[in-house]
Amino acid sequence: MIVGIRNNFLLINVLLFFALSGEGFSIPFIQVHIDSLVLAKNTGDSSLQMRLYYTLGDEHREKDNFEISQAYYDSAYTLAKATNDDLYQGKILFRRGQNYHSLGAEIPAFESFRESIEASKLADNFKTMGSAYSLMGSIFRVNGMYDRAIEYNIKSKHNYEKSGYDEGNAWVAYLLGRIYHDLKRPQKALDYYFEALEKYKVMASADGNENGVAICHEQIGLLNWEAGNFIEAKKHVDTVLSIHRKGESEYGISNSYKHMGKISYSIGNYSEADEYLRQALDMKNKIGDVPGQSGIYEYLGLSLIKQGRVEEGFNHLQQGLNLALTHKQTRILLDIYTKISEAYQARRNFEKAVHYQNLRIQTQDSILSNTASIKVEQLQKIYELDDQKVEIEKLERENNINTLKIKQHHISQLIMIVGIFLALIIAVVIYMVSKKIHQKNLELREANRTKDKLFSIIAHDLRGPLGSILGLSELLSEDVQSQDMKAIDIKSSAIHQSLVETNSLLNNLLQWAATQLQHLEFRPEWLHLVELITEVEDQLSFQATKKNLRIKSMVDSSVQLFGDPDMLKSILRNLVSNSIKFSNQNGEIIISASVKETGTEISVRDTGIGMKQEIVDKLFELEANISRPGTMGEKGTGLGLILAKEFVEKHGGEISVNSEADKGSDFRFTIPE
């Protein structure tokens, strides 16, 4: 009997060795694992059983059999808890989190990663902790919470450094590059991509694996392409293509051909673009990567149109559009709508151009409305889990203190004291939780009111001008056919004015929505006020000229501000545009500034129609819906002034207005030092 057990134990270890190493057997490794598990159960060795369950979970996870994988991990976790194996508890919980993450179940994934970190701390397993923090950072990045994403990736980096895991450090640098890429900060993104690239190069020189080098060059190339540095972009994509050819990665080669085709198209070499894109399409068909074909069809269609093969080009654009719709590729879908609209506009088919532009707007609106509530709910739960982590750590420390007290005092006395103490804690926790819930409910109700107001503005004030433009364009088409130049001039001017107003409204809506969702980053720097005013004057010169208005700047060239340039230009643009709107013909708008000890006060004063005090009192309130037509019937929503107020307050300043009916208005705002 003893000999049989020893032989089984030896066989288990031999099978386990070959199963984990992947060498020595021609039978499928899953079956090797199952055979080993049967023998392990016969010996009653819980540790071996746990390791085999864990290995089987890994095997099925690699094959995307997530339900089966999760069942094996659950069995492994039960045994790991029973044997108090903190090392494997942390590893198993991390794998379970990966499964949830792959299935898009971010809340249970976040919870599993958090529990994995707790178990890994007890085992000093810094590598698993680094991996868990990294994926938690990815969850925050996908949900648009970039500050938390950066924080968790930094935590990941610290743990990878403790474990000496160089590949983890390189991966974190790459992820930070992706975050800053999303934030539209290309230089910061490039810094991290190059940091990751140098780390991956060192590792590749040791093990020959250049996949990390390839992904860094690819992202650097795409950044340069987006910036218009096409020669630099082509150099990096060429490097990626060479790596994938060497590694015989058909997927990587197909993507490189796609990128080369897009770069060639951007340069204007349409025949070369056509060749690369067709090679990419052939390879995508060969490997069965259907979703990856939508972007290829897009640029292949555009290239064909540029070569004069218009009908064939539009057919390819439609194929790309159909694939993007089928696979719900919203970014590609929006881009194709834009490109088709531009293509029809270039061919002066304005009806179809407007049709596809409207489809793009509808899709964008749908994305905003569908994702806003989902993200709020998901982020609320993630924040709660993150807060629970801090609370649990605090309670664990308190529990350890209470345990020591129980050992030091008489049991009956301690039970009474602990009972009272716990009752107080529970009461405080209940009170704090209820208070937090109440506060969160208030915030959510306010967010819903804000969202409803935004959609109301979009539905009413944006759809109206677009409908007018569409109607005018149809009439304009008839006038062109009849060659009625006077009617053409009147309608084209009306279309232009409507587009100016719609563009201004859309810019304000997008900026205001970004401030409400806290996606607009505040990046102050030292600026010359005169330069900002000159740029705003240039932008609004057409509107001012129509009313024969004089915009007069009385600002000294030495005046400097410490502020965000985009926000300051938006403030000035909205205030000057408002003055133009409510000024009569031949009026004057004066921009002045005075430097004080506490900061700079800027004034935008006009000689227009002014307003009554009851309007002034509610001018900066969104719910008040203060909107009046201009002196030439210009439309608006009042959102520009609300946006200006929010941007001023982001600088720590204040905004005010003095106005009387028929005597003009004087808007003043301060920018602190």
Side-chain angles (χ1 to χ4, degrees):
M1 181 66 178
I2 294 173
V3 173
I5 291 174
R6 285 177 178 171
N7 288 338
N8 280 342
F9 188 83
L10 178 62
L11 180 57
I12 290 168
N13 280 282
V14 171
L15 287 170
L16 185 60
F17 169 77
F18 283 116
L20 295 176
S21 66
E23 298 174 356
F25 278 83
S26 59
I27 60 175
F29 293 122
I30 289 180
Q31 190 59 49
V32 173
H33 302 157
I34 293 171
D35 292 343
S36 300
L37 182 59
V38 171
L39 293 173
K41 286 180 178 179
N42 289 337
T43 67
D45 190 320
S46 298
S47 180
L48 275 175
Q49 290 178 57
M50 176 202 63
R51 291 164 61 197
L52 285 162
Y53 276 128
Y54 175 78
T55 304
L56 282 162
D58 279 353
E59 190 73 35
H60 282 283
R61 190 179 69 82
E62 291 290 330
K63 297 179 180 298
D64 294 336
N65 300 326
F66 297 112
E67 287 187 10
I68 299 173
S69 172
Q70 206 75 327
Y72 278 120
Y73 287 143
D74 289 344
S75 298
Y77 184 66
T78 300
L79 290 169
K81 286 193 72 175
T83 56
N84 294 318
D85 191 328
D86 293 321
L87 176 67
Y88 265 88
Q89 282 187 61
K91 293 168 71 172
I92 295 163
L93 286 164
F94 173 72
R95 291 296 196 211
R96 289 205 308 195
Q98 281 186 301
N99 277 354
Y100 284 128
H101 184 57
S102 298
L103 293 168
E106 303 295 17
I107 302 303
F110 196 93
E111 176 69 6
S112 291
F113 293 140
R114 185 178 64 78
E115 292 176 350
S116 171
I117 289 169
E118 299 305 320
S120 298
K121 280 181 182 177
L122 299 174
D124 287 338
N125 185 0
F126 299 111
K127 180 178 176 181
T128 297
M129 288 168 65
S131 300
Y133 276 125
S134 174
L135 281 171
M136 290 166 86
S138 295
I139 291 172
F140 279 118
R141 172 178 166 257
V142 168
N143 283 277
M145 301 307 296
Y146 295 108
D147 53 343
R148 287 288 183 96
I150 293 169
E151 175 189 344
Y152 275 71
N153 274 292
I154 295 300
K155 288 181 179 180
S156 173
K157 184 176 186 292
H158 290 331
N159 281 281
Y160 280 143
E161 286 173 350
K162 288 180 183 177
S163 68
Y165 187 46
D166 294 334
E167 186 174 354
N169 275 328
W171 179 243
V172 169
Y174 173 80
L175 290 177
L176 287 168
R178 292 296 300 271
I179 291 170
Y180 283 103
H181 197 154
D182 288 352
L183 290 169
K184 306 299 182 186
R185 295 185 62 183
Q187 189 54 55
K188 193 79 172 175
L190 277 175
D191 291 343
Y192 277 112
Y193 285 146
F194 278 113
E195 179 184 338
L197 178 61
E198 292 307 312
K199 294 178 186 293
Y200 278 123
K201 280 182 177 179
V202 172
M203 288 183 284
S205 64
D207 61 16
N209 186 340
E210 293 185 285
N211 289 335
V213 175
I215 63 172
C216 293
H217 275 296
E218 184 177 56
Q219 292 302 319
I220 293 168
L222 291 174
L223 260 179
N224 278 285
W225 174 63
E226 291 168 9
N229 303 324
F230 302 126
I231 295 175
E232 189 70 10
K234 188 175 187 297
K235 182 180 75 174
H236 287 282
V237 176
D238 263 330
T239 302
V240 178
L241 182 58
S242 299
I243 292 171
H244 288 316
R245 280 173 174 165
K246 191 193 306 181
E248 298 181 348
S249 169
E250 292 184 324
Y251 181 84
I253 294 170
S254 66
N255 281 341
S256 297
Y257 281 145
K258 177 175 70 174
H259 297 325
M260 292 294 281
K262 290 162 72 172
I263 293 168
S264 296
Y265 172 82
S266 300
I267 293 172
N269 193 338
Y270 304 120
S271 59
E272 185 181 80
D274 189 285
E275 181 179 350
Y276 277 123
L277 293 167
R278 290 188 187 279
Q279 286 179 297
L281 191 59
D282 289 341
M283 295 196 78
K284 292 291 184 187
N285 282 321
K286 181 181 176 182
I287 62 179
D289 181 13
V290 179
Q293 297 177 22
S294 53
I296 299 172
Y297 275 115
E298 175 189 0
Y299 277 86
L300 187 56
L302 293 171
S303 179
L304 289 168
I305 291 172
K306 289 291 186 180
Q307 295 177 74
R309 296 156 67 181
V310 177
E311 185 176 351
E312 186 181 358
F314 276 111
N315 287 338
H316 279 76
L317 283 172
Q318 190 62 49
Q319 282 181 275
L321 185 62
N322 293 339
L323 286 172
L325 285 165
T326 300
H327 298 285
K328 299 179 180 179
Q329 298 167 303
T330 53
R331 288 188 179 182
I332 296 176
L333 185 63
L334 291 171
D335 191 49
I336 294 178
Y337 277 143
T338 300
K339 293 295 194 301
I340 293 178
S341 177
E342 290 173 353
Y344 275 121
Q345 188 174 355
R347 299 189 63 76
R348 305 189 67 78
N349 189 336
F350 299 112
E351 183 178 352
K352 286 194 174 182
V354 171
H355 170 71
Y356 280 99
Q357 189 60 28
N358 283 338
L359 287 176
R360 186 192 187 284
I361 292 170
Q362 291 170 14
T363 303
Q364 184 71 59
D365 289 347
S366 175
I367 292 167
L368 285 171
S369 60
N370 289 337
T371 58
S373 60
I374 295 171
K375 282 199 172 184
V376 168
E377 181 182 353
Q378 182 162 285
L379 286 172
Q380 174 71 19
K381 291 181 179 178
I382 290 174
Y383 273 127
E384 288 173 359
L385 288 173
D386 208 22
D387 290 338
Q388 284 174 16
K389 177 185 173 185
V390 177
E391 289 294 325
I392 288 170
E393 289 175 347
K394 180 181 176 182
L395 290 172
E396 284 176 349
R397 289 193 297 270
E398 293 174 352
N399 186 53
N400 290 335
I401 293 171
N402 291 335
T403 302
L404 290 173
K405 287 181 179 179
I406 290 171
K407 291 180 180 179
Q408 295 170 0
H409 295 85
H410 193 273
I411 293 176
S412 61
Q413 293 175 335
L414 187 58
I415 289 174
M416 185 180 297
I417 294 170
V418 171
I420 295 171
F421 185 63
L422 288 176
L424 288 172
I425 290 177
I426 290 169
V428 171
V429 169
I430 290 173
Y431 172 74
M432 294 301 294
V433 169
S434 64
K435 191 174 179 181
K436 280 186 177 181
I437 290 172
H438 178 70
Q439 182 61 33
K440 291 295 182 184
N441 285 336
L442 290 176
E443 291 174 2
L444 285 172
R445 281 198 289 270
E446 181 60 30
N448 280 330
R449 282 196 294 269
T450 300
K451 180 196 70 176
D452 293 342
K453 180 63 180 177
L454 174 62
F455 291 152
S456 172
I457 291 171
I458 292 173
H460 182 270
D461 295 279
L462 194 56
R463 183 183 291 177
L466 288 173
S468 299
I469 293 168
L470 183 60
L472 285 168
S473 65
E474 291 176 358
L475 295 173
L476 183 63
S477 177
E478 295 174 3
D479 293 335
V480 169
Q481 293 177 4
S482 62
Q483 296 186 354
D484 186 345
M485 298 309 295
K486 183 176 181 181
I488 290 171
D489 182 57
I490 293 170
K491 290 183 178 66
S492 61
S493 296
I495 289 173
H496 181 269
Q497 178 62 32
S498 185
L499 284 171
V500 168
E501 293 171 0
T502 304
N503 183 63
S504 176
L505 172 60
L506 183 57
N507 284 334
N508 282 338
L509 281 170
L510 292 175
Q511 286 185 318
W512 180 72
T515 63
Q516 299 306 301
L517 297 173
Q518 297 181 354
H519 287 176
L520 199 63
E521 189 173 354
F522 180 61
R523 296 195 294 266
E525 58 185 77
W526 282 107
L527 304 160
H528 285 281
L529 181 57
V530 168
E531 294 178 2
L532 298 177
I533 293 171
T534 300
E535 188 171 339
V536 169
E537 286 179 341
D538 291 342
Q539 292 173 352
L540 299 176
S541 61
F542 178 79
Q543 294 171 250
T545 302
K546 286 186 66 176
K547 290 187 173 183
N548 197 26
L549 297 175
R550 181 187 178 195
I551 300 176
K552 184 178 179 182
S553 174
M554 300 178 66
V555 177
D556 192 273
S557 60
S558 64
V559 176
Q560 286 187 291
L561 299 173
F562 187 69
D564 184 295
D566 293 329
M567 290 186 184
L568 288 172
K569 282 186 281 188
S570 179
I571 295 166
L572 289 167
R573 185 168 57 250
N574 278 300
L575 293 181
V576 174
S577 178
N578 187 72
S579 291
I580 293 172
K581 178 179 176 182
F582 295 108
S583 288
N584 292 310
Q585 293 281 344
N586 304 313
E588 186 175 56
I589 298 168
I590 299 172
I591 305 172
S592 60
S594 58
V595 179
K596 303 178 180 179
E597 290 185 5
T598 56
T600 304
E601 183 182 71
I602 301 163
S603 166
V604 177
R605 179 163 52 89
D606 62 64
T607 57
I609 62 175
M611 56 192 133
K612 296 178 181 179
Q613 189 60 40
E614 53 264 31
I615 295 177
V616 171
D617 292 340
K618 298 181 179 180
L619 198 59
F620 297 108
E621 297 178 10
L622 180 65
E623 295 300 326
N625 196 23
I626 300 299
S627 177
R628 301 181 298 158
T631 56
M632 291 180 65
E634 301 99 321
K635 296 179 181 178
T637 64
L639 191 60
L641 295 179
I642 293 167
L643 184 65
K645 180 176 182 290
E646 292 198 13
F647 283 173
V648 168
E649 290 175 349
K650 275 188 177 291
H651 285 79
E654 296 179 350
I655 188 168
S656 62
V657 58
N658 291 316
S659 182
E660 290 184 40
D662 302 322
K663 292 186 179 181
S665 301
D666 183 4
F667 285 85
R668 292 175 179 268
F669 66 95
T670 58
I671 301 297
E673 288 290 347

